[in-house]
Amino acid sequence: IRFRAAVNDYTHTEFEGGEVGTVFDVEGLDSRIELRHARWGALEGAVGMQYRTVDFDAVGDEAYVPPSETTDFSLFIFEELELSDSWVLQGSARFEDQSISGSALAEKYDDSAVGASLGAIWRMTDDIRLSANLALTERHPTAAELYSDGPHVAAQRYERGSVTLGNGILDKEESTNLDVTLHGDTGAVEWSITGFVNSVDDYILLRPTAEEIDEFQVYNYAQADVEFTGLEAEALVAVFDDDNSHFHVSLFADFVNAEEDVTGANLPQIPQQRFGLGLHGGWNNFDASIDAIFADDQKDVAENELPTEGYTQLSASLSYTFADPGLYVFLRGTNLLDEDIRQHSSPLKDPVPLPGRSLHLGLRYEF
């Protein structure tokens, strides 16, 4: 039996000059209990329960979500069946009841959601493994998606929820996700390729508009049937590896496309396509690495959303470990090309790029 509980009491005051602007006050409880049963033949797994409550209150100019109390109660189960040395089946299910209440809310929320998944792992050979997972899930809307109405300064936008817009309570998201992974490990080379398709009915999105309020662009919460398709791949190649030295090469690539089913419109804040290369080596007490990430332009943007230019992010590090293995000195550099790096998935990509070139020199002792 495993039990975990966390109690949070958080207060955050934002000042405008010398005066109090907005005060955020959040109290919460998150508890979870898992009961893992003994192995029954070829079957092993666990059942559990989770309870979470969040009491949110904000007072001031930036209180874009009214005071609310969100309560979640969940039951879940996970089981794994080992059919043979080559085949393993996995299954899970979850029930979740959520309520959102508050004296200032125009409409309260109270509904239940369910989810289930089924997966299989096939060890084709000693070196190659194929896994597939099919998940059918529902997701509740959040308080911000329902009731927000005001400037969300941290994200530099004005947000309006569905209830605020007069559209009532949002429907639950209903997602059907299929992902397939092929993994290989031949000793010197370890690699994996994953493809996925995620079809979501009533997907909740924050849609940018052409309207402005208080010099912030207005974003409205809405729903649409959408589909995500993507690919992820990575590989690690050990060129050589012995007691005193090693040299490894790492590669990765990822891509995702997301569109609305009916109109074919692009979804906002979808990451750029990326691929990367890393070199890592060590000789006696020295260790060095260099990594490069190449991101393409993101031109498949939503209406009223700006495109994002691609970038090359180059990082490197060099370290030396002394005779005492807990003591070492290091030199680390990030964005060495000093590029203007903006990530399309960030709501702050236009006003706030990632940091420019930086160098860190340090001495570290662990004991």
Side-chain angles (χ1 to χ4, degrees), residues 18-54:
E19 298 184 358
V20 174
T22 307
V23 178
F24 296 89
D25 189 2
V26 184
E27 297 179 1
L29 167 67
D30 190 354
S31 60
R32 178 185 177 99
I33 185 170
E34 299 176 14
L35 294 86
R36 183 167 183 173
H37 63 74
R39 191 179 181 94
W40 299 335
L43 187 69
E44 60 179 335
V47 297
M49 179 177 67
Q50 186 168 3
Y51 176 79
R52 183 177 70 95
T53 179
V54 177

Side-chain angles (χ1 to χ4, degrees), residues 355-366:
R357 181 187 297 118
S358 65
L359 297 173
H360 294 80
L361 176 64
L363 179 68
R364 182 167 179 174
Y365 181 61
E366 297 178 352

Side-chain angles (χ1 to χ4, degrees), residues 1-2 33-48 76-82 89 91-92:
I1 300 176
R2 177 183 298 170
I33 185 170
E34 299 176 14
L35 294 86
R36 183 167 183 173
H37 63 74
R39 191 179 181 94
W40 299 335
L43 187 69
E44 60 179 335
V47 297
F76 58 87
I77 183 172
F78 172 82
E79 296 292 336
E80 183 174 272
L81 178 64
E82 186 176 357
L89 295 181
S92 66

Side-chain angles (χ1 to χ4, degrees), residues 341-364:
I341 298 178
R342 301 176 189 271
Q343 294 181 322
H344 193 77
S345 56
S346 169
L348 300 175
K349 73 177 183 72
D350 295 317
V352 185
L354 293 186
R357 181 187 297 118
S358 65
L359 297 173
H360 294 80
L361 176 64
L363 179 68
R364 182 167 179 174

Side-chain angles (χ1 to χ4, degrees), residues 73-91:
F73 173 75
S74 304
L75 298 171
F76 58 87
I77 183 172
F78 172 82
E79 296 292 336
E80 183 174 272
L81 178 64
E82 186 176 357
L83 298 177
S84 66
D85 292 339
S86 301
W87 282 94
V88 175
L89 295 181
Q90 298 173 331

Side-chain angles (χ1 to χ4, degrees), residues 45-228:
V47 297
M49 179 177 67
Q50 186 168 3
Y51 176 79
R52 183 177 70 95
T53 179
V54 177
D55 190 354
F56 172 85
D57 190 12
V59 178
D61 296 337
E62 298 176 18
Y64 73 101
V65 180
S68 64
E69 182 176 355
T70 302
T71 301
D72 289 300
F73 173 75
S74 304
L75 298 171
F76 58 87
I77 183 172
F78 172 82
E79 296 292 336
E80 183 174 272
L81 178 64
E82 186 176 357
L83 298 177
S84 66
D85 292 339
S86 301
W87 282 94
V88 175
L89 295 181
Q90 298 173 331
S92 66
R94 181 182 178 92
F95 167 84
E96 181 178 4
D97 184 78
Q98 175 178 286
S99 65
I100 305 175
S101 60
S103 59
L105 303 183
E107 296 183 58
K108 295 178 174 58
Y109 182 87
D110 190 359
D111 204 351
S112 300
V114 295
S117 67
L118 181 64
I121 303 173
W122 175 31
R123 186 170 292 280
M124 304 167 64
T125 67
D126 291 340
D127 302 330
I128 298 178
R129 183 175 72 247
L130 178 68
S131 62
N133 291 278
L134 175 65
L136 308 175
T137 60
E138 296 179 332
R139 185 183 78 85
H140 294 288
T142 65
E145 293 165 344
L146 295 173
Y147 311 111
S148 58
D149 185 17
H152 187 177
V153 178
Q156 292 288 292
R157 60 195 181 198
Y158 193 105
E159 297 182 12
R160 297 190 297 203
S162 64
V163 174
T164 303
L165 292 166
N167 298 327
I169 298 294
L170 292 168
D171 294 328
K172 293 174 295 187
E173 290 183 353
E174 298 181 356
S175 173
T176 302
N177 183 73
L178 174 65
D179 63 81
V180 179
T181 299
L182 186 63
H183 179 270
D185 186 357
T186 59
V189 181
E190 184 176 0
W191 54 270
S192 68
I193 300 175
T194 299
F196 62 88
V197 178
N198 189 7
S199 179
V200 188
D201 292 339
D202 296 319
Y203 177 77
I204 301 173
L205 69 154
L206 190 55
R207 201 189 298 276
T209 73
E211 186 180 354
E212 282 193 4
I213 298 179
D214 297 333
E215 298 182 354
F216 288 104
Q217 184 180 2
V218 175
Y219 285 68
N220 293 334
Y221 281 101
Q223 290 190 289
D225 294 343
V226 305
E227 184 172 274
F228 295 82

